[in-house]
Amino acid sequence: MSSTYLYGANVRANGIRQHYLRFGGKGRPLVLVPGITSPAVTWAFVAERLGRQFDTYVLDVRGRGLSETAPGMDYSLEACAADVGAFAQALGLQDYFLVGHSMGARIGAIVAAHHAEGLARLVMVDPPVSGPGRRPYPAKIDWYVDSIRLMSEGNGWEKLKPFSPTWTEAQLRLRAEWLHTCDEEAVVCAYHAFGTQDMHADLPSIKVPTLLMVAGKGGVIEPADIEEIKGLIPQLEVHVVPEAGHMIPWDDEEGFFKGFGNFLGTPV
């Protein structure tokens, strides 16, 4: 990790142990919430760059990485959102930015709607817009569960190639090292929520400035979805990263950072 990496630590918030990585240590606080099978360490390359300008915290969402995991734990998106709000309060973060990718973006929307104390701005990066009566999320649950099981059994990183054929060996090795820390129950619960809960119901309650970053090749968000979300969040800004799939910073790292524009007050 670069010189912006400070440390990893734990904090007890919302009744559980939450693990996080901290980068930078100076500037406006920024909390980064990864996706459904992405422990905090897999986003370190993003946090290193954000840490040049922001006091950046990358969370291990409950049931992933080094945060608390237990049979029967509440793995709902609502519980995860309450974790983020409690995390910010426990660390005394004020006027902080929240950046969430995929599942993390769905969590971020709930935070902004119901746990917004201290929150200044929200960035939703390619959130699943699936829900009751809506187009299904394009990724299948087997993609997640099968890869977790392969790594939990101790197979090598090469077994992940068919799952992410465009990723580099270094990216696959890191994912292989940490994927076993993603609890299958937590992942299945979140995936199920993508189809059974309507994210759009929370969007009108979001009052902070919000940026929607869309993967041009991801198939998750279509132009009609963008227009619907614009109608629900009047203060919405939108940026499409045309050459990226759903895993935007892996597919087009520079395009991802350009996608922030000046939304965070300065280009990143």
Side-chain angles (χ1 to χ4, degrees):
M1 295 184 184
S2 77
S3 59
T4 65
Y5 174 69
L6 297 179
Y7 54 78
N10 297 290
V11 63
R12 190 156 191 86
N14 197 32
I16 68 165
R17 183 190 71 253
Q18 297 191 45
H19 178 261
Y20 64 96
L21 303 177
R22 189 179 183 188
F23 295 76
K26 297 180 181 179
R28 195 79 163 267
L30 185 151
V31 177
L32 179 58
V33 185
I36 190 169
T37 54
S38 295
V41 69
T42 63
W43 278 78
F45 73 105
V46 172
E48 286 171 357
R49 181 148 165 183
L50 292 173
R52 298 173 191 172
Q53 300 179 62
F54 305 105
D55 186 10
T56 302
Y57 302 80
V58 193
L59 298 187
D60 273 329
V61 178
R62 60 167 63 197
R64 296 150 181 93
L66 301 180
S67 284
E68 192 162 335
T69 303
M73 176 179 268
D74 182 358
Y75 289 120
S76 66
L77 299 183
E78 290 79 7
C80 296
D83 288 346
V84 176
F87 174 86
Q89 294 306 303
L91 271 63
L93 304 184
Q94 295 296 321
D95 296 322
Y96 73 95
F97 299 144
L98 177 56
V99 179
H101 171 251
S102 192
M103 178 193 75
R106 292 274 296 241
I107 292 169
I110 300 172
V111 173
H114 302 291
H115 306 280
E117 184 177 352
L119 179 64
R121 289 183 172 240
L122 171 66
V123 181
M124 298 189 296
V125 181
D126 221 41
V129 293
S130 49
R134 295 181 177 274
R135 186 179 69 255
Y137 184 55
K140 304 301 181 184
I141 187 61
D142 291 349
W143 189 91
Y144 301 103
V145 171
D146 291 350
S147 59
I148 291 171
R149 290 179 180 178
L150 283 169
M151 295 304 100
S152 296
E153 292 166 359
N155 290 289
W157 66 271
E158 298 88 350
K159 291 288 186 178
L160 292 182
K161 283 184 178 180
F163 295 87
S164 303
T166 64
W167 286 28
T168 67
E169 178 178 335
Q171 290 168 342
L172 290 171
R173 283 185 178 277
L174 183 62
R175 183 165 175 79
E177 180 183 358
W178 285 88
L179 194 55
H180 75 93
T181 70
C182 296
D183 181 83
E184 186 174 319
E185 182 183 354
V187 171
V188 170
C189 179
Y191 184 90
H192 181 68
F194 293 166
T196 59
Q197 297 178 13
D198 187 4
M199 175 186 75
H200 301 75
D202 282 322
L203 300 186
S205 297
I206 296 176
K207 304 306 180 185
V208 298
T210 302
L211 170 66
L212 175 67
M213 191 184 302
V214 178
K217 296 182 177 179
V220 174
I221 300 177
E222 302 292 345
D225 301 316
I226 296 174
E227 292 307 310
E228 181 180 9
I229 296 172
K230 281 182 177 178
L232 297 170
I233 308 177
Q235 71 275 24
L236 186 75
E237 295 185 28
V238 179
H239 185 94
V240 178
V241 185
E243 299 304 314
H246 182 58
M247 301 299 285
I248 298 178
W250 283 262
D251 294 340
D252 184 358
E253 185 173 346
E254 286 306 312
F256 171 74
F257 288 114
K258 288 180 181 177
F260 289 96
N262 290 313
F263 184 75
L264 301 181
T266 179
V268 295

